[in-house]
Amino acid sequence: MVTVQCYCGAVRMELTGEPLAQFYCHCEDCQAVHGAAYLPAVMYRIPATRLVAGEPAYWKLKTTVRAFCRECGTRLYAEPPGLGIRSITALLLHQGLFKPTFHIQCQHALLPIKDTLPHFKGFPAMFGGSDEQVSW
């Protein structure tokens, strides 16, 4: 079990089991919501996540509901509709626990990212995509 919390500690969540995926998201929604070129994310099924302190506030920019701390504004997680998953902001994990294995939505990347991970143009097949990659 892993515990994550917002930066002020008002909201805490327990994550159980292994994550479904760990990746960097370059979609326009994540860029706009987080004010960043991409977002490190770790994905769990909702039942494997449990709020143990505090109550986040919820909002959505387009279609994805997102949770944040009412006190400090830390972005906590997103819940893409119909998938039964929570995409936790990986910056909340303890150092060394985030082990990304790919990038997604690279068609929206602001700049090329040069690393050894796969860079999917949209979504990988495991997310219902085509596995098409970009070559930088």
Side-chain angles (χ1 to χ4, degrees):
M1 177 177 16
V2 173
T3 301
V4 296
Q5 67 181 30
C6 65
Y7 295 124
C8 76
V11 179
R12 284 194 319 275
M13 188 168 34
E14 290 178 346
L15 310 173
T16 56
E18 292 298 314
L20 299 172
Q22 297 189 50
F23 56 92
Y24 295 104
C25 182
H26 297 263
C27 79
E28 292 173 324
D29 215 31
C30 283
Q31 290 174 13
V33 167
H34 295 276
Y38 54 89
L39 176 72
V42 58
M43 186 179 291
Y44 284 86
R45 296 211 182 280
I46 290 175
T49 67
R50 184 171 72 93
L51 287 168
V52 294
E55 181 60 39
Y58 296 91
W59 68 290
K60 66 180 176 178
L61 179 63
K62 294 181 183 177
T63 59
T64 301
V65 174
R66 297 172 186 272
F68 66 97
C69 174
R70 297 171 189 271
E71 301 298 320
C72 68
T74 301
R75 305 290 196 253
L76 302 166
Y77 57 85
E79 292 182 357
L83 300 179
I85 58 107
R86 282 189 174 149
S87 180
I88 312 294
T89 304
L91 297 170
L92 302 177
L93 293 172
H94 299 286
Q95 188 173 359
L97 291 181
F98 181 57
K99 296 178 177 139
T101 56
F102 55 87
H103 294 255
I104 64 170
Q105 294 293 326
C106 293
Q107 65 191 340
H108 303 292
L110 298 177
L111 291 170
I113 303 293
K114 307 251 183 190
D115 61 22
T116 60
L117 302 176
H119 294 81
F120 296 104
K121 181 176 181 180
F123 292 110
M126 71 182 287
F127 292 175
S130 68
D131 272 350
E132 182 181 354
Q133 294 186 30
V134 297
S135 58
W136 288 326

